[in-house]
């Protein structure tokens, strides 16, 4: 119940209230219930990320990642990697974000290969995120390396666009088209 209240407050932009709800709830969670704590930690990551406090966001995200690497389901590990990649990217640490997203993409590809019922939406999201990271990272590279990185960003983002189209996710399809336009603009096309 408190997890839902915290997420509802966070989604409504009431980040300080969501943090307060999370902190109060965490005080009640037994020390050995790390899986349950991660529910609150992910909300705290979201709140602190939105507030621009990357240090706190990363702290909570790393706790979730450690748990998911040892005890979590592959979907949870992929989500933790994606969440942390978003924070690292916002903090300008594109290399770390890239590494985390590549790991998450591999997990999503394995899940799709093993389970016909697994949704490709998470794969599309991770690929599009990696395309954005590569675009940002490419701006500091020499021309030849930049073109290679942007070509990979185009490929990943186009694959994400195809998944969004097949899934009927029109808003995400529009976002992927905008991402492609940004990459083409960087290429001078």
């Amino acid at each position: 119940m408190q997890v839902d209240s915290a997420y509802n407050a966070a989604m409504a932009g009431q980040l300080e209230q969501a943090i307060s709800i999370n902190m109060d709830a965490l005080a009640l969670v037994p020390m050995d219930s790390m899986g349950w704590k991660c529910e609150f930690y992910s909300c705290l990551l979201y709140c602190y990320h939105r507030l621009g406090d990357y240090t706190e966001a990363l702290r909570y995200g790393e706790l979730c990642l450690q748990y998911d690497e040892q005890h979590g389901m592959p979907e949870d590990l992929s989500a933790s990697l994606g969440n942390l990649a978003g924070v690292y990217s916002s903090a300008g640490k594109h290399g770390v974000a890239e590494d985390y997203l590549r790991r998450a993409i591999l997990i999503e590809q394995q899940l799709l290969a093993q389970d016909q019922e697994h949704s490709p939406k998470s794969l599309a999201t991770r690929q599009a995120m990696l395309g954005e990271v590569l675009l940002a990272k490419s701006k500091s590279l020499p021309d030849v390396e930049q073109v290679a990185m942007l070509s990979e960003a185009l490929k990943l983002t186009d694959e994400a666009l195809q998944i969004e189209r097949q899934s009927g996710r029109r808003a995400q399809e529009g976002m992927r088209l905008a991402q492609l336009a940004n990459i083409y603009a960087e290429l001078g096309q």
Side-chain angles (χ1 to χ4, degrees), residues 33-81:
S33 298
M34 189 61 175
W36 187 242
K37 285 183 176 192
C38 282
E39 293 292 324
F40 295 105
Y41 290 165
S42 8
C43 186
L44 286 166
L45 173 145
Y46 174 82
C47 292
Y48 283 115
H49 186 189
R50 292 268 315 268
L51 289 169
D53 187 342
Y54 304 135
T55 302
E56 282 298 296
L58 291 171
R59 182 166 76 90
Y60 289 111
E62 290 291 345
L63 288 169
C64 287
L65 178 61
Q66 289 169 11
Y67 176 80
D68 289 334
E69 285 179 325
Q70 295 173 7
H71 307 288
M73 301 295 292
E75 299 88 357
D76 297 333
L77 179 56
S78 174
S80 285
L81 289 164

Side-chain angles (χ1 to χ4, degrees), residues 14-33:
Q14 300 164 341
L15 301 174
E16 297 294 339
Q17 181 182 355
I19 290 170
S20 177
I21 293 168
N22 275 297
M23 294 303 190
D24 290 345
L26 278 170
L28 303 174
V29 177
M31 290 300 289
D32 61 346
S33 298

Side-chain angles (χ1 to χ4, degrees), residues 124 126-135 150-164 172-173 175-181 183:
R126 308 287 183 263
Q127 286 182 304
M129 286 178 69
L130 182 54
E132 287 287 315
V133 167
L134 294 177
L135 172 61
L150 290 172
S151 295
E152 183 181 5
L154 275 174
K155 178 182 176 291
L156 288 163
T157 308
D158 187 56
E159 288 174 5
L161 172 64
Q162 300 313 314
I163 292 169
E164 304 296 15
Q172 287 80 4
E173 183 180 340
M175 291 188 308
R176 303 304 166 240
L177 288 168
Q179 288 175 273
L180 286 169
I183 298 167

Side-chain angles (χ1 to χ4, degrees), residues 53-124:
D53 187 342
Y54 304 135
T55 302
E56 282 298 296
L58 291 171
R59 182 166 76 90
Y60 289 111
E62 290 291 345
L63 288 169
C64 287
L65 178 61
Q66 289 169 11
Y67 176 80
D68 289 334
E69 285 179 325
Q70 295 173 7
H71 307 288
M73 301 295 292
E75 299 88 357
D76 297 333
L77 179 56
S78 174
S80 285
L81 289 164
N83 289 340
L84 277 167
V87 179
Y88 277 115
S89 180
S90 294
K93 297 181 180 182
H94 302 296
V96 179
E98 178 183 356
D99 292 343
Y100 280 16
L101 287 168
R102 289 189 188 282
R103 282 180 62 195
I105 287 169
L106 284 175
I107 291 167
E108 291 298 329
Q109 290 170 335
Q110 289 169 352
L111 287 168
L112 285 167
Q114 295 167 359
D115 181 4
Q116 297 294 330
E117 298 298 314
H118 185 72
S119 172
K121 294 174 189 175
S122 293
L123 175 62

